[in-house]
Amino acid sequence: MGSALASDGLYLGASVKTAVKILVVGHFAVGKTTFVGTLSEIRPLRTEERMTRAGELVDDLAGVEDKTTTTVAMDFGRLTLTEQLVLYLFGAPGQQRFTQLWHDLSLGALGALVLVDTNRLEMSFEVVNLLEQRGLPYAVAVNQFDGAPSYPLEEIREALDLLPTTPLLLCDARDHDSSVRALIALVDHLISLERDPA
């Protein structure tokens, strides 16, 4: 999808004055690459590599046995919001061995959208802890995988030990409108924190 506000859909228009950085994070194989690709108005930058036998020793493939590639650096996408404002989406790899890269990617980010999977909810604890250690505000979107168990959002909130003010919603990373709603929930949260930091 090309940008309606850029002159040719690839380059930004001269009127863009502000860029905002948002992280898309979550555990391994939760849908971050899909989410960034669904929203990006440009062809997203992806650093996907084929998974190897060596990776099988460190990447837990339980529940995602058909996965053949993984992000090894980041995903990058762009979304022009107005003639003056552009949003940059940075998808971080989900494996623990990339924690330092998460720290690097978080520099200058306004906040993060955490994708979680009800099949492997326990894998999200470390992700949430990393964000809280960094002091980076976040919203949580439950990516709705086909056949995944469904739980009331309040049970998920309790399981993840989220504050009542942390946005929590359902999302389908393959669906544009659903992904937009998740992003709006994060941005609304960031605005509310700016107005009332307490």
Side-chain angles (χ1 to χ4, degrees):
M1 164 172 83
S3 169
L5 300 173
S7 58
D8 63 2
L10 181 60
Y11 298 101
L12 289 175
S15 62
V16 173
K17 304 294 182 212
T18 304
V20 176
K21 180 179 183 182
I22 297 290
L23 291 184
V24 179
V25 298
H27 60 73
F28 173 67
V30 75
K32 300 173 298 291
T33 297
T34 301
F35 184 90
V36 171
T38 296
L39 288 180
S40 184
E41 67 194 11
I42 59 171
R43 182 176 166 208
L45 168 68
R46 292 186 171 141
T47 57
E48 291 277 302
E49 292 294 335
R50 290 197 58 73
M51 296 182 67
T52 64
R53 289 193 184 265
E56 291 175 5
L57 301 175
V58 291
D59 295 331
D60 183 2
L61 294 176
V64 289
E65 292 83 2
D66 294 335
K67 187 166 177 62
T68 59
T69 63
T70 187
T71 300
V72 296
M74 68 175 181
D75 298 307
F76 173 79
R78 184 185 80 202
L79 185 59
T80 303
L81 300 179
T82 70
E83 291 183 358
Q84 291 83 33
L85 178 63
V86 66
L87 180 68
Y88 292 127
L89 298 170
F90 286 82
Q95 296 94 319
Q96 186 176 15
R97 65 184 181 273
F98 294 114
T99 300
Q100 182 57 50
L101 183 57
W102 274 46
H103 292 303
D104 295 342
L105 287 174
S106 71
L107 295 174
L110 289 186
L113 182 68
V114 181
L115 293 180
V116 301
D117 173 5
T118 57
N119 279 312
R120 298 170 295 144
L121 202 57
E122 71 285 351
M123 295 178 74
S124 300
F125 301 153
E126 184 176 353
V127 175
V128 170
N129 285 338
L130 282 171
L131 292 172
E132 290 178 350
Q133 288 170 12
R134 299 284 304 170
L136 196 62
Y138 61 91
V140 177
V142 180
N143 195 8
Q144 297 179 287
F145 287 91
D146 295 335
S150 177
Y151 302 103
L153 286 178
E154 283 312 308
E155 285 186 23
I156 295 172
R157 179 179 298 282
E158 185 177 335
L160 293 175
D161 195 25
L162 300 177
L163 293 173
T165 55
T166 301
L168 174 64
L169 67 155
L170 299 176
C171 173
D172 183 339
R174 301 164 295 186
D175 180 76
H176 183 268
D177 291 346
S178 180
S179 298
V180 166
R181 284 191 295 275
L183 198 55
I184 288 171
L186 172 61
V187 171
D188 283 346
H189 181 55
L190 296 175
I191 290 170
S192 70
L193 290 176
E194 184 70 22
R195 289 181 180 149
D196 182 12

